[in-house]
Amino acid sequence: MKVAKIAEADRYARTVQAVKAKKVAIVCEWLVTYAGSEKVLEQLLKCFPQAALFCVCDFLPDKDRAFLQGKLPKTTFIQRLPLSRKKYRSYLPLMPLAIEQLDVSGYDLVISSSHAVAKGILTGPDQVHICYVHSPMRYAWDLQHQYLKESGLDRGIKGWLARAILHYMRLWDYRTANGVDYFIANSRFIAKRIKKVYGREAEVIYPPVDVEGFEYCEDKENYYLTASRMVPYKKVKLIVEAFNEMPERELVVIGDGPDFKKIQEIAGDNVQLLGYQPDDVLRKYMQHAKAFVFAAEEDFGITPVEAQACGTPVIAYGRGGALETVRGYRQGTSDATGVFFDEQTVASIKEAVEHFEQVSISCEACRKNAERFGVKAFTDAIMSYCYEIDKTRIN
């Protein structure tokens, strides 16, 4: 048995080296900032340092380019269209055409990191196409009605035009799923969406979280924290409204975005809005918060994991990726890392906060849970997955 394990480990090492020796193309959508999907891209580039990089458009500022490790992406005609630097999303109807113009025919392995159109890259029968899915196109599928309403496109001529475009995008998105050999989902929640939308099974590999970059701290202060971009689906306004009805509870809010002024107008005296803050300031607040409050339905949700890495419990909406990254409190358990609320309502959040005040959650358990989502866990899983695929195809 020991000899067999050594032989398998040796084969794994040799296969990983063989995979790394392949001609690899990595395809993503737009490069404009360094956020969640870009952190996945960063680790993919580290796994495959020989890879060529392709994307629809690249408007990354110089200060954020280090994660590309010196690579200059090959872009599409979207890059050169008028006002594309600021209005690239407006060219979404042209992106299926654009992604299909990228030539990756000279590569053995194509890995797409997709939340919109990257999975539509054209590949041949002798190529392997692995697609890491952050989400099927949300605004074209089950969130279409919410997207149209929030964008003011739920009525009128513009609304009908938007619906027609999204109908076309759905047809294209479904058809191009056939060009993917293997799907990877960033959570079980997204794996279910892939099954629903494309009729395909997906391996689950959680995205990498820089757990080591968040210092563990048991010295908690008497405030709650929420931090995110202030857009409607993040539900920051809802959290503030809930704390307005709990004047004895202090809430600190970090983040900026379109909804900032609306939230500023309603915030009570117990709510402190700090706007955008650099990473080091955010980490400090995360370390010392009593709990992190998270009301969005996310595909995965990196921020709650980062909070747990600091030893900070999470009060989260019990839907989506939070159910996989937060361990809800149950009587008699010692591994809980937070509590859930069932509805995106003021009353439900208030009830969850009061419940949290009555229970005991270990800071150590929070940190230990966060370590499941570290960078090494991601890179090991990706390389193991490629190894299994290579082994299967050889056999």
Side-chain angles (χ1 to χ4, degrees):
M1 182 65 72
K2 187 175 181 181
V3 172
K5 287 183 177 180
I6 293 173
E8 180 67 14
D10 180 61
R11 180 177 178 180
Y12 174 75
R14 286 187 284 108
T15 305
V16 166
Q17 290 304 314
V19 170
K20 288 188 173 184
K22 290 179 182 292
K23 293 191 69 177
V24 179
I26 296 177
V27 185
C28 62
E29 271 107 12
W30 43 83
L31 291 171
V32 295
T33 188
Y34 179 63
S37 63
E38 288 76 24
K39 291 175 182 178
V40 170
L41 177 61
E42 178 181 21
Q43 297 307 320
L44 289 174
L45 290 173
K46 288 182 178 179
C47 286
F48 304 99
Q50 81 280 23
L53 181 59
F54 297 80
C55 66
V56 171
C57 55
D58 172 20
F59 298 118
L60 269 175
D62 290 341
K63 66 180 179 65
D64 292 334
R65 300 193 72 84
F67 80 95
L68 296 181
Q69 299 156 52
K71 293 186 184 295
L72 185 64
K74 296 178 183 179
T75 58
T76 72
F77 64 84
I78 301 289
Q79 182 83 20
R80 300 179 294 279
L81 293 179
L83 303 176
S84 58
R85 178 174 290 274
K86 291 185 178 180
K87 300 287 186 179
Y88 63 93
R89 291 180 186 270
S90 300
Y91 290 116
L92 181 66
L94 296 177
M95 288 186 185
L97 174 63
I99 203 74
E100 290 174 353
Q101 305 314 304
L102 291 172
D103 183 5
V104 296
S105 59
Y107 297 88
D108 306 310
L109 173 62
V110 178
I111 302 174
S112 57
S113 173
S114 185
H115 55 77
V117 299
K119 85 173 206 323
I121 192 77
L122 299 179
T123 56
D126 293 327
Q127 295 175 286
V128 176
H129 179 188
I130 300 172
C131 181
Y132 188 95
V133 181
H134 304 277
S135 174
M137 233 182 288
R138 302 178 187 88
Y139 33 83
W141 292 99
D142 53 311
L143 297 185
Q144 172 189 285
H145 302 294
Q146 179 182 329
Y147 165 76
L148 291 173
K149 186 176 180 180
E150 291 176 353
S151 303
L153 295 172
D154 54 337
R155 61 180 66 87
I157 295 175
K158 287 185 177 180
W160 282 108
L161 178 60
R163 291 174 194 275
I165 290 171
L166 292 176
H167 176 71
Y168 153 71
M169 296 296 289
R170 275 194 297 278
L171 294 175
W172 178 86
D173 193 35
Y174 179 78
R175 177 182 62 79
T176 55
N178 291 324
V180 177
D181 296 297
Y182 303 95
F183 278 105
I184 301 175
N186 72 352
S187 65
R188 293 194 299 273
F189 178 65
I190 291 302
K192 290 179 181 178
R193 295 190 71 210
I194 291 170
K195 180 67 174 177
K196 181 81 171 181
V197 171
Y198 305 138
R200 299 280 300 277
E201 300 294 335
E203 181 79 4
V204 175
I205 298 179
Y206 293 115
V209 181
D210 182 20
V211 173
E212 299 306 318
F214 290 82
E215 188 176 344
Y216 174 71
C217 177
E218 295 185 358
D219 181 20
K220 304 302 180 184
E221 298 179 18
N222 194 32
Y223 66 85
Y224 292 84
L225 173 70
T226 190
S228 77
R229 181 162 170 74
M230 294 190 183
V231 291
Y233 89 92
K234 294 288 189 180
K235 304 295 182 183
V236 177
K237 183 172 179 285
L238 182 66
I239 296 172
V240 170
E241 288 172 339
F243 275 82
N244 282 346
E245 297 189 10
M246 298 182 286
E248 72 283 7
R249 314 278 187 216
E250 183 181 350
L251 175 69
V252 174
V253 182
I254 293 178
D256 202 351
D259 284 359
F260 183 84
K261 287 186 178 179
K262 293 179 184 177
I263 294 170
Q264 190 176 43
E265 289 172 359
I266 66 163
D269 293 338
N270 62 320
V271 178
Q272 186 179 6
L273 269 66
L274 301 183
Y276 168 79
Q277 294 295 323
D279 288 346
D280 58 334
V281 174
L282 173 60
R283 287 170 180 161
K284 181 179 178 182
Y285 275 97
M286 271 189 176
Q287 287 172 335
H288 297 286
K290 178 184 289 188
F292 184 84
V293 187
F294 187 73
E297 181 180 341
E298 288 280 19
D299 306 323
F300 174 75
I302 287 179
T303 317
V305 179
E306 293 174 339
Q308 291 173 83
C310 296
T312 300
V314 177
I315 300 172
Y317 178 45
R319 292 284 299 275
L323 290 174
E324 299 171 55
T325 61
V326 180
R327 288 176 171 156
Y329 178 84
R330 299 185 307 279
Q331 191 71 35
T333 61
S334 59
D335 63 349
T337 66
V339 299
F340 293 117
F341 52 94
D342 297 328
E343 299 176 346
Q344 289 174 313
T345 63
V346 167
S348 194
I349 293 175
K350 287 174 61 180
E351 184 179 349
V353 171
E354 295 304 325
H355 180 210
F356 173 78
E357 289 282 344
Q358 303 303 315
V359 302
S360 177
I361 294 177
S362 161
C363 296
E364 187 178 353
C366 293
R367 175 69 184 197
K368 186 175 180 180
N369 184 52
E371 288 171 351
R372 297 191 296 130
F373 307 99
V375 170
K376 189 175 186 303
F378 172 82
T379 55
D380 285 351
I382 287 290
M383 296 313 297
S384 294
Y385 188 68
C386 290
Y387 161 69
E388 292 298 333
I389 289 174
D390 203 63
K391 186 171 67 173
T392 301
R393 292 177 75 88
I394 290 172
N395 293 340

